[in-house]
Every structure is written in C-alpha cells, then in structure tokens.
Amino acid sequence: MNEHGGAVGTSQIAEFLGISPGNLYYHFRNREEILRELFDGLTRDLDEVLRVQPGESIPVERLVSCYIGGSKVLWRYRFFFASATDFISRDESLAKKYQEFSARSKSYMRLIIQGAVRDAPGLCRPTVRECEHIAETMWVVWVSWPRYSELSMPGQLLGESDIGRGLEQISFLLSPYLDAAYYQKTKRQLHRFVAELQRDKS
C-alpha cells in the first residue's frame, strides 16, 4: 500500500506475501480487517512517541524526539494518511477509531506544547485554549503531509526525506512561543535529521 496506494486489494496482498488468497482469508475476512489491524499498529506507535503526563518537563531533546518519532510513524504508515478519507468513509468502525486516535493525539500534542512553552517561554505566552489551537493546526499539517507530498511530486516515488521535510514547517508553528535559543537548538537538530535523510535518498 505504501508503494502502490490505498487501492491495493487482498489478492495483491496475498501475491506479495507469497500465499494463496484463501490462506489470507483464513486470517482476515476482508481488506477492512487488515486495515483495522494496521491502524491499531499505527495508534500504538504514535502513542509511544507522544505519550506525556500533565506537567511533564519538555526539554529540547524531548520535543525533537516527538517531532522525529512522529515523522517516522508518518513514513511507516503513509499509505493510510494518503487515503484516509477513502478508508474511513467505507468503515464505520475504523472511522470511530480514527476519531478517538485523533482526539488523543491532539491532547498529547497540547501537553507537549504547554510543557515546552512553560519550560522555555518566548515573547508570546499562549493560553491553554491557544495551545489547543496550535496542537490542532500541527495535527492537520502532520496528517495531511503525505497527501500534500504526493500531489507536489506527481509520478514520483516518495522518499522518507519528503515526509521529513514537513518537520521544519510544523516546528515553525511554535517559534513565536518559545525562547529563541531553545527554538534554534530544536531547529538545528531537526535540520540535521532531514539532511541525513536527503543524503540517504541521493
């Protein structure tokens, strides 16, 4: 699905695995069950990256690990975000799971933002409500990035560096609210990560 898009069906999955369609159906009744299983993996992986406690300190290294970890999850499951509307519209159960996942992720992101701006406040001091708005904006950019990248590069195969490029745009959203030195250190670490991905691609 990452290579060929969300339209990949069970027969193609079985062929890729080197098993018969009947063998695949022994484990999964249809493609929707496969997607739900994959989505459960996606939620576990992102929860592990973002999970924080209220009031937890967010030093630069922790913020950077959230950005980079989120980028790696986005790369691993890019097919889902590129075709999310289609998947969700066909499966009410998956739609409900996605709504819960989205709400939980935005809540974690709000806590991360609050911790960062509390530990290293910038010129602007966002309220709790404003932190919620920033978290939602970051979430929209994050989930939309694979689709945006595909549309920006028609006919080309996406690389991990193309997904990683979104990190610097997302991190910029926090720049007015963070101490300048804290933000610049975060930015440098993210830039090094993206540059390494670009070198690997070339």
Side-chain angles (χ1 to χ4, degrees), residues 98-112:
Y98 182 83
Q99 289 167 357
E100 293 169 351
F101 163 67
S102 179
R104 185 172 65 255
S105 298
K106 286 185 288 185
S107 178
Y108 283 144
M109 291 169 76
R110 175 182 58 80
L111 291 174
I112 291 166

Side-chain angles (χ1 to χ4, degrees), residues 35-197:
L35 287 171
R36 288 180 209 135
E37 184 83 11
L38 290 170
F39 184 72
D40 287 345
L42 161 59
T43 59
R44 285 193 301 270
D45 288 354
L46 192 62
D47 281 354
E48 187 175 336
V49 169
L50 298 181
R51 188 179 290 112
V52 294
Q53 300 300 320
E56 183 177 330
S57 180
I58 307 294
V60 168
E61 291 71 20
R62 179 71 176 98
L63 182 61
V64 169
S65 73
C66 291
Y67 284 135
I68 291 177
S71 176
K72 290 179 177 179
V73 172
L74 194 63
W75 169 249
R76 184 177 182 188
Y77 297 96
R78 60 194 180 277
F79 76 91
F80 184 88
F81 296 102
S83 305
T85 302
D86 182 53
F87 293 154
I88 291 170
S89 66
R90 296 169 182 266
D91 187 337
E92 186 176 339
S93 172
L94 187 58
K96 185 174 185 296
K97 283 187 172 188
Y98 182 83
Q99 289 167 357
E100 293 169 351
F101 163 67
S102 179
R104 185 172 65 255
S105 298
K106 286 185 288 185
S107 178
Y108 283 144
M109 291 169 76
R110 175 182 58 80
L111 291 174
I112 291 166
I113 292 166
Q114 287 178 303
V117 300
R118 183 185 59 249
D119 293 347
L123 295 176
C124 299
R125 302 293 180 92
T127 64
V128 172
R129 183 61 176 159
E130 287 169 336
C131 286
E132 290 177 356
H133 291 321
I134 299 166
E136 185 166 28
T137 302
M138 284 186 165
W139 179 253
V140 170
V141 176
W142 188 80
V143 300
S144 304
W145 196 259
R147 187 62 175 160
Y148 168 77
S149 298
E150 282 189 348
L151 293 173
S152 301
M153 304 167 54
Q156 298 182 50
L157 195 63
L158 287 183
E160 190 172 1
S161 61
D162 301 309
I163 299 296
R165 271 194 323 112
L167 289 175
E168 291 174 292
Q169 278 79 355
I170 292 171
S171 68
F172 181 73
L173 293 169
L174 275 186
S175 60
Y177 309 103
L178 293 173
D179 170 76
Y182 180 105
Y183 173 69
Q184 289 300 325
K185 187 176 178 182
T186 302
K187 185 179 176 181
R188 285 195 299 271
Q189 291 189 30
L190 292 178
H191 184 74
R192 281 200 297 270
F193 172 72
V194 176
E196 287 172 5
L197 293 177

